[in-house]
Amino acid sequence: MDANKETTGTPDIAAFAAAFLKKETGADGVEIHSCKRLGGGAIQENLALDLTITGGPWAGRHELVLRTDSPSSLAVSLGRAEEFAVLKVAFAAGVKVPEPLWLHQDAGELGKDFYLMRKAGGSAAARPLVRGDLTTDERDALLFELGGELAKLHTVRPPVASLDFLPMPDGTPAQSRVAEYRRLIDAIGRPQPTLEWALRWLELNAPASTETTLTHGDFRTGNYMVEDKHLSAVLDWEFAGWSDPMEDLGWLCARCWRFGAWEHEVGGVGGTAALARGYASIAGKPVDLSLLPYWEVMGIMRWAVIALMQAERHVSGEQPSLELALTGRMLPEIELDLIQEIQTIEKERARHA
Amino acid sequence: MRSLPTAAELLKIAREGLLNELLPHLPKEHHYTALMAANALAISMREIQADDSQHKAEAALLHELYGSAAPDEGMDALAGHLAHDLRAGRFDARLDTVGQLLLAEVTARLRVSNPKYLKQAGLN
């Protein structure tokens, strides 16, 4: 056994992946140098593989990431085969994503699907980025890039044959979300007056949708990689779907995803002007930022529902966990965000009336 | 008869032991769990020591929205009524008033679960 070999990941998956790659690439052999578990996946498990392929068109050394399901999946997220399909479409649209390479669709050999992609450089850690020492110009440059990536993704319109598993919104995307969140709250079965209050407001104020595009669904600080102060890859595509493109912008800017830096509206990184400029540079038309506050409220609502579902896994006894338990006690923070952000919009509206 | 120290005092001293004596000896990868445990102890401590402001905020909500017709089944049942009525649009004309009452109730819960957050939000 190679002294440098690390087996902190899951060696049987690594060995399985090596055999899979040998077959898939027509190689003579595949040697795994290291297999390390990467952090940051409550739902998915990500393993970094450093390997050498001998023979065949892929001969050489490769740094890859293997993504598979972890034991606790959320029912609302995509499976790995579907996520792989989304990643391919996003890659083809020119979005900076880790290049998706091979998909293993399991027929009982391993017990779960996985796919392999190129490992992207940089770090996705949110707090160092938010608290870091980027200058205003550097922040603006990064926000410009984020806007551009979103605009590229939003050029993808339905229908796309390889994405036929993604449901279309029922009604406008906003109405569809309100109905979805009500269903999820009902499934938990505990009354949530504050969430119902906010949902009613979201229903009454739902914008007429102008367009439906491919959306990332979880585009926020912590889910994109930054290398040398620039965007290197957009990660975590399991919530992708057809929706209003403003939903992605609202989620990115929602107060719950600023990691304490509330003064920086876009993900705790900076202001919306640079983001909008970057978006417009690709979209070829200006972003209507007047719709952003509504979609930020929708984003906070989404987080409230996800937090509720995560907490329920502990409360129901399904998955006892300190982290999930504390997520339940975060709900008042999210409720406060909802009330304050809606009140701000209403005050602003009254001022202009 | 009352056993001393109180539950709140026990939680306080347990938390101090965890943070001051155990945490410095823990490997880095276990710090997050230790900090979460300390947070759970702090929330429990505040909950035990909480005054009746949450109860008052709930009662005000009940009285303001349902008056003398307020259902007499307690707060959980009321929350169910309110949630249902909000969804059905029965408070559409008074959404801002309901929002203000809910804010007071949420604020009272936050005083227990995360008082620092209240401060950041400009509330106390």
Side-chain angles (χ1 to χ4, degrees):
Chain A
M1 195 172 171
D2 187 332
N4 292 323
K5 192 176 285 189
E6 296 185 50
T7 50
T8 47
T10 320
D12 53 332
I13 283 202
F16 187 92
F20 166 79
L21 270 179
K22 183 169 182 277
K23 200 169 142 211
E24 200 73 15
T25 64
D28 300 326
V30 174
E31 189 194 353
I32 309 262
H33 305 296
S34 75
C35 169
K36 288 185 211 164
R37 179 171 285 121
L38 297 170
I43 301 168
Q44 278 74 38
E45 186 169 55
N46 299 305
L47 299 172
L49 293 174
D50 178 11
L51 52 84
T52 297
I53 296 177
T54 332
W58 286 86
R61 188 146 181 173
H62 299 279
E63 288 198 57
L64 306 176
V65 171
L66 183 153
R67 187 162 161 94
T68 186
D69 300 311
S70 83
S72 55
S73 296
L74 274 183
V76 288
S77 62
L78 301 178
R80 299 291 70 72
E82 295 166 328
E83 192 180 48
F84 185 75
V86 169
L87 211 46
K88 286 203 125 176
V89 169
F91 184 77
V95 183
K96 272 188 189 163
V97 296
E99 185 184 355
L101 297 170
W102 300 281
L103 169 70
H104 164 72
Q105 285 189 284
D106 202 70
E109 312 92 317
L110 180 69
K112 50 188 172 185
D113 293 351
F114 67 79
Y115 64 82
L116 291 150
M117 55 188 155
R118 259 189 233 288
K119 187 168 184 287
S123 163
R127 286 180 194 279
L129 178 65
V130 167
R131 292 181 189 159
D133 51 3
L134 293 187
T135 65
T136 305
D137 284 351
E138 286 164 350
R139 285 171 184 268
D140 281 353
L142 178 60
L143 294 171
F144 188 91
E145 292 169 2
L146 287 171
E149 292 311 303
L150 273 178
K152 277 183 221 164
L153 173 66
H154 295 161
T155 60
V156 181
R157 309 290 166 104
V160 174
S162 64
L163 302 181
D164 60 358
F165 53 86
L166 292 178
M168 285 295 285
D170 185 12
T172 68
Q175 290 166 336
S176 186
R177 284 298 185 216
V178 168
E180 179 189 353
Y181 298 152
R182 283 177 175 159
R183 278 196 304 275
L184 292 168
I185 289 170
D186 288 346
I188 290 172
R190 268 183 271 283
Q192 302 291 342
T194 308
L195 304 193
E196 293 292 347
W197 175 81
L199 278 167
R200 183 62 182 163
W201 184 88
L202 285 164
E203 184 174 41
L204 293 172
N205 292 279
S209 178
T210 46
E211 50 188 350
T212 298
T213 70
L214 188 59
T215 53
H216 180 279
D218 200 7
F219 194 95
R220 63 165 176 86
T221 299
N223 281 345
Y224 55 82
M225 307 271 281
V226 175
E227 186 174 33
D228 298 331
K229 301 172 183 175
H230 291 281
L231 181 71
S232 57
V234 181
L235 309 175
D236 294 322
W237 289 78
E238 72 264 25
F239 294 107
W242 300 119
S243 189
D244 189 314
M246 284 305 293
E247 187 175 36
D248 272 341
L249 290 149
W251 183 245
L252 174 64
C253 296
R255 192 162 93 174
C256 51
W257 294 122
R258 294 180 203 159
F259 297 88
W262 289 2
E263 69 281 14
H264 289 148
E265 187 172 356
V266 190
V269 176
T272 53
L275 179 79
R277 275 201 309 277
Y279 194 98
S281 75
I282 299 290
K285 58 178 180 181
V287 190
D288 185 359
L289 288 179
S290 72
L291 291 170
L292 188 60
Y294 175 89
W295 285 102
E296 286 186 24
V297 173
M298 186 67 93
I300 300 168
M301 189 69 226
R302 178 179 185 80
W303 173 221
V305 172
I306 292 173
L308 207 55
M309 290 167 73
Q310 289 184 341
E312 190 59 21
R313 275 156 53 195
H314 172 86
V315 174
S316 68
E318 177 199 337
Q319 190 189 349
S321 144
L322 179 53
E323 187 169 25
L324 294 176
L326 285 172
T327 304
R329 284 296 181 119
M330 280 176 70
L331 204 65
E333 296 165 31
I334 311 171
E335 291 174 84
L336 182 72
D337 287 350
L338 277 171
I339 297 173
Q340 286 194 317
E341 296 292 63
I342 289 176
Q343 286 183 336
T344 301
I345 294 173
E346 288 296 335
K347 264 184 218 140
E348 202 53 25
R349 191 178 288 171
R351 216 161 56 83
H352 292 288
Chain B
M1 293 285 274
R2 191 171 183 203
S3 300
L4 289 177
T6 64
E9 285 162 350
L10 286 173
L11 290 168
K12 183 168 185 282
I13 198 70
R15 182 169 183 270
E16 283 169 9
L18 172 61
L19 288 177
N20 300 335
E21 290 166 42
L22 293 178
L23 188 62
H25 300 288
L26 285 175
K28 243 194 158 146
E29 65 266 31
H30 294 302
H31 280 203
Y32 184 50
T33 303
L35 291 172
M36 284 195 300
N39 188 23
L41 293 174
I43 293 172
S44 308
M45 195 165 67
R46 288 191 296 264
E47 185 156 302
I48 288 173
Q49 294 176 314
D51 59 18
D52 61 350
S53 63
Q54 189 180 338
H55 177 76
K56 278 186 184 157
E58 287 174 352
L61 187 75
L62 170 112
H63 183 77
E64 185 71 33
L65 299 180
Y66 292 100
S68 54
D72 199 20
E73 311 113 293
M75 193 57 208
D76 285 347
L78 170 80
H81 281 291
L82 179 55
H84 179 269
D85 288 348
L86 280 164
R87 191 184 291 194
R90 291 205 183 94
F91 287 110
D92 282 0
R94 302 162 67 194
L95 272 191
D96 50 347
T97 308
V98 180
Q100 205 51 39
L101 292 164
L102 287 168
L103 180 64
E105 192 272 334
V106 169
T107 300
R109 271 189 285 137
L110 260 179
R111 229 169 252 131
V112 168
S113 63
N114 190 353
K116 276 189 199 153
Y117 200 83
L118 272 183
K119 209 166 273 178
Q120 179 166 17
L123 302 166
N124 265 308

